[in-house]
Amino acid sequence: MTDGRAIGVFDSGLGGLTVVRELIKQMPNEDIVYFGDTGRVPYGTRSRETIKKYAAEDERFLLSHGVKLIIAACGTVSSVAADSARALPVPFFEMVTHAALSAVSATKNGKIGVIGTPATVSSGSHKREILKLMPKAEVTAASCPLFVPLVEEGWCSEDDIVVTETVRRYLAPVIEAGCDTLILGCTHYPVLERAISRVAGDGVRLINPGVAVSKAVADYIETAGLQNSGENKGKHKFYVSDKPDSFKSLASVLLGEELDDGRVEQVDLNDL
Ligand code: DGL
């Protein structure tokens, strides 16, 4: 059996492109439809109710494109709105459980750090999942609200003093707690991986949830026999809810490839 439908991916904005990058690496033949809610980013500072409402609208948009599964490539949605998404008519993948699994397999001292948006950290989602897998784990979570604007501004270099000082201040509790493993619990953060690693030091293993979720999706597609084996496969189309200019210009940093005009389109979710 094969399945030519696309994989649906959504995020509050650009961050989910770090997940798309991993998906393309692991499944170059799969078509991908991406929705970035750039008109309403950030989600991470909003209320639970608003995040759930936005996530449901994003999922409805992807379903209107006939996708075969949906990935919430957003740490905030995965932390706050994953339960309601389980009622979707297609399989749903989120970032938290996969990140927790990877962190638990990586840690040697049982001390795991989590960084994410304020909504992600206050949900306690990673801690809950980690403790299910490793009840004696010590989890230290820190919210890093300035990381998303830094990335959206394109300030990501480990040689940029503003970046490294911001990272240093946010990571202090994680370093103080002696964590040997750190979950990058927001999809924007892998872009800051080098700066985070420089501050955290070589002894701290960084977990990019996009890698683990892409592996889980690849395994699911293979086991269920849903690979895309059609003609002209591996197409990637990107939709955004605000003007595409900054999305396109930052895509090369997050996705690792340039996006030309034909591949990014602005849509209005109210038109559905
Ligand atoms: N993509 C979001 C996340 O992974 C971060 C940006 C936002 O706050 O919406 O949590």
Side-chain angles (χ1 to χ4, degrees):
M1 208 166 68
T2 59
D3 189 335
R5 291 176 298 166
I7 293 174
V9 183
F10 75 95
D11 176 45
S12 54
L14 281 158
L17 292 177
T18 62
V19 181
V20 172
R21 185 180 192 144
E22 296 303 326
L23 290 167
I24 295 172
K25 253 192 235 162
Q26 295 196 34
M27 290 168 284
N29 290 338
E30 293 300 326
D31 290 353
I32 294 173
V33 174
Y34 181 91
F35 176 67
D37 200 2
T38 51
R40 302 191 293 196
V41 70
Y43 285 9
T45 47
R46 295 185 194 272
S47 71
R48 214 164 236 279
E49 291 66 36
T50 301
I51 296 165
K52 283 187 177 176
K53 176 175 169 291
Y54 287 178
E57 289 168 2
D58 303 344
E59 287 151 6
R60 199 156 56 95
F61 175 78
L62 291 175
L63 288 173
S64 76
H65 283 263
V67 297
K68 61 184 161 192
L69 58 90
I70 290 181
I71 304 171
C74 174
T76 304
V77 170
S78 303
S79 295
V80 170
D83 281 353
S84 30
R86 297 198 204 278
L88 289 169
V90 294
F92 173 76
F93 292 80
E94 46 72 41
M95 315 300 293
V96 175
T97 45
H98 302 287
L101 261 169
S102 303
V104 163
S105 349
T107 186
K108 299 267 187 301
N109 68 4
K111 294 181 182 178
I112 298 172
V114 180
I115 50 174
T117 64
T120 294
V121 168
S122 66
S123 77
S125 58
H126 291 89
K127 184 168 183 177
R128 252 189 324 277
E129 289 305 319
I130 290 167
L131 293 180
K132 271 190 217 160
L133 300 164
M134 188 184 250
K136 290 205 169 128
E138 285 173 35
V139 181
T140 305
S143 67
C144 310
L146 291 177
F147 281 5
V148 169
L150 279 177
V151 171
E152 301 259 334
E153 199 56 41
W155 293 13
C156 310
S157 167
E158 70 276 26
D159 295 322
D160 183 326
I161 179 105
V162 175
V163 174
T164 48
E165 276 313 307
T166 311
V167 171
R168 198 178 308 285
R169 198 179 278 205
Y170 282 139
L171 252 51
V174 169
I175 292 169
E176 201 163 303
C179 297
D180 70 350
T181 304
L182 176 61
I183 295 178
L184 307 179
C186 166
T187 48
H188 278 66
Y189 298 178
V191 183
L192 297 170
E193 196 159 351
R194 287 201 191 161
I196 293 171
S197 188
R198 182 177 282 185
V199 171
D202 289 343
V204 179
R205 170 97 180 265
L206 302 186
I207 305 292
N208 174 356
V211 175
V213 88
S214 300
K215 169 97 178 53
V217 171
D219 288 349
Y220 168 77
I221 285 181
E222 194 182 338
T223 310
L226 299 180
Q227 295 97 332
N228 182 8
S229 59
E231 300 277 307
N232 192 18
K233 47 191 185 290
K235 296 186 297 301
H236 310 133
K237 177 83 196 202
F238 300 85
Y239 296 93
V240 286
S241 54
D242 199 359
K243 55 182 175 30
D245 308 8
S246 59
F247 183 86
K248 276 193 306 206
S249 63
L250 276 176
S252 53
V253 180
L254 282 89
L255 186 62
E257 62 177 279
E258 301 286 335
L259 292 180
D260 53 40
D261 283 344
R263 288 166 73 201
V264 188
E265 199 176 306
Q266 183 173 352
V267 287
D268 185 344
L269 292 186
N270 295 318
D271 291 344
L272 279 184

